[in-house]
Amino acid sequence: MSTKKILVADDEAVTLRLHHLIITRAGYETALFPDGASALDHAAEVAPDLAILDYDLPGQNGLQLTQAFRADPDLKDIPIIVVTGLREQEVAQSLRDAGANEIILKPFSPTLLAKSMEQFLALPA
Amino acid sequence: MEPSPQHSYGGHPPNSGSASGFTIPLTCHRTRIAADLTALPTVRASFAGFLAASGVPDEDRPRWELTFTEATTNAIRHGALEDPYLHITLEWWAEDAELCLAITDPGSGPPSNLAHAPFLPEDPLASSGRGLYIIADFCDTHEHWSSPLGYRQILRKRYPFLTTPLPGSADLDGVLIELATAYECMSAFHRFGTALISANGPASLLESAIENIALVQQPAPDFLRVFLAPTILPEIRDELATCRDVLTHEHAPPTVANVLATSSSTIWDRDSSIAGDPQLHHYSHGCAFPIIADGKTLGCVVLAARNRPSAFTPTELSNLRTLTDLLGIALANANLQVHRDDESRALRELEIAADIQRTLLLPPPAPTSPYHEITLRHRSIYEVAGDYLEARLDAHGQLVLCTIDVMGKGVSAAMLAALFRTVFHIELERPENAEKPLGDLLRTLNLALTAQLEPLTTFITCALARVKRDDATGTAIAEIASAGHCPVLALSPAGPAAQIEPTGPPLGLFLDAEYTTTSLKLAPNNPDYPDTLLMVTDGLYEWNDGTTWWGWENLVGLAALHARHDPDTFWNEILELATCRTSHHSDDMTLLHYRIL
């Protein structure tokens, strides 16, 4: 069975690396992107089992990226976790409406993130 | 075709200060080699390994190696003139989806026309002259500049997804693990902060803190308990002990009891230290941390697992300590809540008592007459009447003076004073009481009050004076009876004339108490007879300046000076003395002044 792959989009290099560490320690592979546009351009090629998107991305933000994933036939079924520092209910609601499966608030718990990843990756495709 | 990379060239670093520009990340590989071409193959092999590890596509790797060779050869040949005593510095890293190579040599760089527009040599077999062209053709950006430190160039090529930007740096991994721990803690504090706002009591806050611990354990522990220490106030301990996974210290196993006693952690990893513990010996791994807040050990949190594959890691233990601190905050908050509830209740009680005082215990105006002068003064410390005073006519029109002091403060004292006042008014209206000795009125009041106060351990001290005027002589007889109250002082123009001590025990204690009556003749302005009665409560003289009590004798001395003619000056002087000499005067102050005219 091939290793599951997680796409991560975050413009903060350190956070991107932190995600990489958390994900690889959990036994998964990563495909890391510094912005929404490149993540979207290559998502179909990467074919991830899960996407972790920062909300506050340059250009296309996490909400727009979620909407774009859900509108793409190749990407629409990929579970999406959005990480955001915004506490407003409206943000969370708009993300849910757009199809985000889970919203994790910053500062996020690496343990809880790993638990969420496992939860989604354990689901039958 | 001319290459068209993004070039920059100048006398200062391009993009300095920007994240994607000049800043060299922690992941940078740095090598310093002598300006000797024989050193090139070794360092190029290292670079090739980095390319493979970084996930650079296979088809790009030979071109990166060629670019590396050309740039480094130029630096050795032209920058350092192959002088083996000079050095070339090579750095490479992956950052923000870019692969970067930086080369620094001691030279001043190529001529600017060549740097700006690199070209292929006309002779295709020429052994040199194509380096800059190859670099510019392959890289997305080629930044290069000269400075007093030498010539530096940074080559970048963008890869939208590098499969691993981490070249296996143990240092960086350590930093990131620390960062993950910090995130874990911040996240836990954030969740706890949210719970602090939404919790509807200490118990739910504690449950939330425990959930926080359980939530971040992976794998979930087989045993998670919080034991409350005796330092948790009894008012809240039972409520907290109803929370899931919370027990009081009486149920603590020996290991936990030891943690509570010593405030020291215990961590076990398949060792025998736990073997004798009847509750915990089933668990191969575990830890017990004291919950400490504000210097007090408030409890202990225990996590244990039966078949954990490995010991708790330092990161896990660090996170657990942080979460234990949150439990400490929850428990300290519970204790604090008890204190606040008590304070809040006391304040509310005082407000109610003040309301009672305003509505029920306000002394009515004293009866006026051309034959006497009456002054009533009262100052309440708690805005509450524990004292009460009144001058009132009885059923026969005789003037009755009354001061009382209720034991205690607050609502109960105010209620008791109100009860006394009701009974006092009823009894004063009965004609038969106007004919009996005043001591008998006290006896009647005592019977009524004792019957009602019997279940309580409280009492009232009371001084009564009844003045019977003789119109023929212009004098009067003052009957005085006192139920455990402080002395009544009689003043004549010559000074203190008498002080009448209690004639029976306080009201409300003994059903069979008896009270005698003392009589005094009052005559206006006659040095042989008193003309003034001072009735006070002990708050007027029982105060101290931190070392000595002011006392009754001082009150009598001050009264002798001017209390007969000027009760307000007397009153104000005492207030001033008490205010100046004491930081906290804790009792009500009451003065009833009567003078026959």
Side-chain angles (χ1 to χ4, degrees):
Chain A
M1 192 176 69
S2 64
T3 308
K4 294 194 172 178
K5 189 175 278 184
I6 298 175
L7 178 152
V8 185
D10 197 308
D11 60 323
E12 291 289 340
V14 172
T15 309
L16 205 57
R17 288 192 175 109
L18 180 62
H19 279 302
H20 175 79
L21 190 72
I22 296 166
I23 292 165
T24 52
R25 283 184 164 215
Y28 307 118
E29 282 184 2
T30 59
L32 308 173
F33 298 91
D35 54 57
S38 58
L40 197 58
D41 284 349
H42 294 86
E45 182 187 347
V46 171
D49 300 284
L50 172 71
I52 299 174
L53 311 176
D54 182 33
Y55 182 84
D56 195 15
L57 286 169
Q60 231 169 350
N61 70 19
L63 174 63
Q64 293 162 326
L65 205 52
T66 303
Q67 290 165 334
F69 267 58
R70 291 298 176 242
D72 187 320
D74 292 335
L75 309 174
K76 66 181 175 60
D77 295 325
I78 296 171
I80 295 175
I81 297 173
V82 179
V83 181
T84 177
L86 300 174
R87 263 80 180 141
E88 289 86 346
Q89 286 292 325
E90 297 78 25
V91 173
Q93 192 56 52
S94 61
L95 283 167
R96 285 194 195 93
D97 291 345
N101 298 77
E102 184 161 350
I103 296 138
I104 291 183
L105 290 176
K106 289 181 182 175
F108 65 87
S109 154
T111 313
L112 292 183
L113 178 65
K115 277 191 170 182
S116 287
M117 290 183 329
E118 282 186 7
Q119 182 190 333
F120 285 115
L121 294 176
L123 293 174
Chain B
M1 188 179 71
E2 288 295 316
S4 56
Q6 294 174 17
H7 282 285
S8 60
Y9 180 81
H12 56 83
N15 302 327
S16 46
S18 78
S20 61
F22 186 60
T23 309
I24 303 298
L26 278 171
T27 51
C28 177
H29 290 248
R30 181 176 282 108
T31 305
R32 191 163 174 261
I33 59 169
D36 181 349
L37 285 171
T38 60
L40 184 55
T42 305
V43 72
R44 183 174 55 205
S46 174
F47 179 68
F50 170 73
L51 293 176
S54 297
V56 171
D58 290 347
E59 63 272 21
D60 272 10
R61 285 186 214 159
R63 295 196 67 189
W64 258 116
E65 289 182 43
L66 176 62
T67 301
F68 181 92
T69 303
E70 290 297 329
T72 307
T73 301
N74 280 347
I76 292 171
R77 276 196 180 143
H78 307 300
L81 303 174
E82 294 190 72
D83 180 346
Y85 292 102
L86 297 177
H87 291 86
I88 309 295
T89 302
L90 298 159
E91 297 157 301
W92 56 83
W93 67 94
E95 184 180 59
D96 294 340
E98 280 184 331
L99 197 127
C100 309
L101 170 65
I103 301 151
T104 308
D105 66 54
S108 56
S112 77
N113 63 326
L114 187 59
H116 281 299
F119 55 85
L120 279 172
E122 288 182 5
D123 178 3
L125 298 177
S127 61
S128 63
R130 61 174 66 82
L132 280 174
Y133 181 86
I134 288 171
I135 292 168
D137 184 43
F138 177 60
C139 296
D140 293 333
T141 64
H142 180 204
E143 303 159 341
H144 47 125
W145 66 96
S146 293
S147 76
L149 297 174
Y151 174 65
R152 181 172 171 82
Q153 44 187 326
I154 299 179
L155 290 57
R156 298 175 190 273
K157 188 159 181 65
R158 185 171 173 77
Y159 293 95
F161 59 101
L162 291 172
T163 54
T164 168
L166 300 172
S169 159
D171 286 345
L172 181 67
D173 276 2
V175 170
L176 287 173
I177 287 165
E178 281 295 318
L179 183 67
T181 305
Y183 273 31
E184 199 76 68
C185 295
M186 284 195 291
S187 174
F189 271 101
H190 179 257
R191 291 194 301 276
F192 183 74
T194 306
L196 194 61
I197 296 166
S198 59
N200 56 12
S204 67
L205 184 62
L206 179 62
E207 279 184 339
S208 165
I210 295 170
E211 277 173 20
N212 239 330
I213 291 184
L215 200 60
V216 296
Q217 299 308 309
Q218 211 168 17
D222 298 310
F223 183 93
L224 169 59
R225 295 282 185 281
V226 170
F227 293 90
L228 304 175
T231 45
I232 299 297
L233 296 172
E235 293 91 330
I236 199 77
R237 200 185 307 149
D238 290 344
E239 184 192 342
L240 295 181
T242 63
C243 296
R244 192 182 163 197
D245 299 326
V246 177
L247 294 166
T248 57
H249 62 96
E250 292 93 345
H251 302 96
T255 306
V256 174
N258 186 54
V259 170
L260 290 173
T262 62
S263 300
S264 301
S265 310
T266 292
I267 299 163
W268 69 93
D269 172 16
R270 297 183 192 282
D271 60 32
S272 57
S273 66
I274 209 76
D277 193 303
Q279 280 189 47
L280 299 176
H281 75 275
H282 307 293
Y283 302 99
S284 62
H285 296 83
C287 53
F289 288 124
I291 303 168
I292 299 172
D294 199 21
K296 286 182 186 170
T297 300
L298 301 173
C300 175
V301 60
V302 186
L303 265 106
R306 281 197 180 82
N307 293 306
R308 196 183 155 92
S310 58
F312 287 98
T313 65
T315 304
E316 283 177 305
L317 293 173
S318 170
N319 289 338
L320 269 172
R321 284 196 171 90
T322 302
L323 293 163
T324 304
D325 286 345
L326 295 187
L327 278 173
I329 296 171
L331 291 177
N333 183 71
N335 269 351
L336 188 63
Q337 193 64 46
V338 172
H339 288 304
R340 283 186 179 154
D341 286 349
D342 287 347
E343 285 174 6
S344 170
R345 197 178 301 116
L347 280 173
R348 180 68 192 133
E349 188 174 301
L350 288 175
E351 284 172 10
I352 295 168
D355 197 41
I356 293 170
Q357 181 193 27
R358 278 193 296 273
T359 54
L360 292 177
L361 296 176
L362 197 64
T368 55
S369 163
Y371 306 115
H372 67 232
E373 176 188 85
I374 297 173
T375 303
L376 305 174
R377 293 288 178 268
H378 175 73
R379 183 188 168 196
S380 177
I381 296 304
Y382 290 95
E383 302 297 332
V384 165
D387 291 2
Y388 179 67
L389 74 170
E390 186 172 2
R392 188 177 182 84
L393 299 179
D394 66 9
H396 287 183
Q398 301 170 113
L399 179 66
V400 179
L401 310 172
C402 169
T403 57
I404 69 163
D405 188 354
V406 177
M407 190 196 82
K409 304 280 186 292
V411 170
S412 59
M415 293 290 286
L416 198 46
L419 177 65
F420 172 87
R421 182 178 131 140
T422 304
V423 175
F424 178 59
H425 285 188
I426 290 169
E427 296 302 328
L428 219 55
E429 291 300 317
R430 294 182 193 275
E432 63 269 29
N433 282 334
E435 294 158 7
K436 293 177 186 170
L438 196 58
D440 286 3
L441 177 59
L442 267 185
R443 185 170 166 275
T444 305
L445 292 171
N446 179 59
L447 283 171
L449 290 167
T450 305
Q452 297 197 51
L453 299 182
E454 201 175 8
L456 306 173
T457 53
T458 189
F459 58 84
I460 301 168
T461 68
C462 170
L464 295 179
R466 183 163 62 196
V467 181
K468 295 180 178 175
R469 180 178 161 80
D470 181 351
D471 291 334
T473 61
T475 61
I477 297 297
E479 288 178 85
I480 297 168
S482 171
H485 202 72
C486 49
V488 176
L489 184 63
L491 297 168
S492 76
Q499 63 182 45
I500 295 87
E501 301 291 339
T503 60
L507 306 175
L509 292 177
F510 312 108
L511 276 171
D512 57 352
E514 296 290 338
Y515 300 88
T516 58
T517 305
T518 301
S519 296
L520 283 175
K521 181 179 178 182
L522 305 177
N525 291 316
N526 184 336
D528 295 330
Y529 296 100
D531 60 1
T532 300
L533 296 177
L534 284 184
M535 299 167 71
V536 302
T537 54
D538 56 10
L540 206 63
Y541 59 90
E542 283 189 352
W543 46 267
N544 69 51
D545 58 6
T547 53
T548 53
W549 287 93
W550 194 65
W552 174 256
E553 290 73 18
N554 283 318
L555 180 131
V556 173
L558 193 63
L561 292 177
H562 42 222
R564 280 180 60 249
H565 284 292
D566 194 355
D568 277 326
T569 299
F570 171 67
W571 169 254
N572 289 331
E573 280 189 6
I574 291 181
L575 286 190
E576 193 177 336
L577 281 169
T579 307
C580 292
R581 294 192 185 181
T582 64
S583 58
H584 178 66
H585 191 264
S586 62
D587 205 357
D588 293 357
M589 301 170 92
T590 297
L591 169 70
L592 193 159
H593 173 274
Y594 166 86
R595 190 158 73 97
I596 187 170
L597 300 175

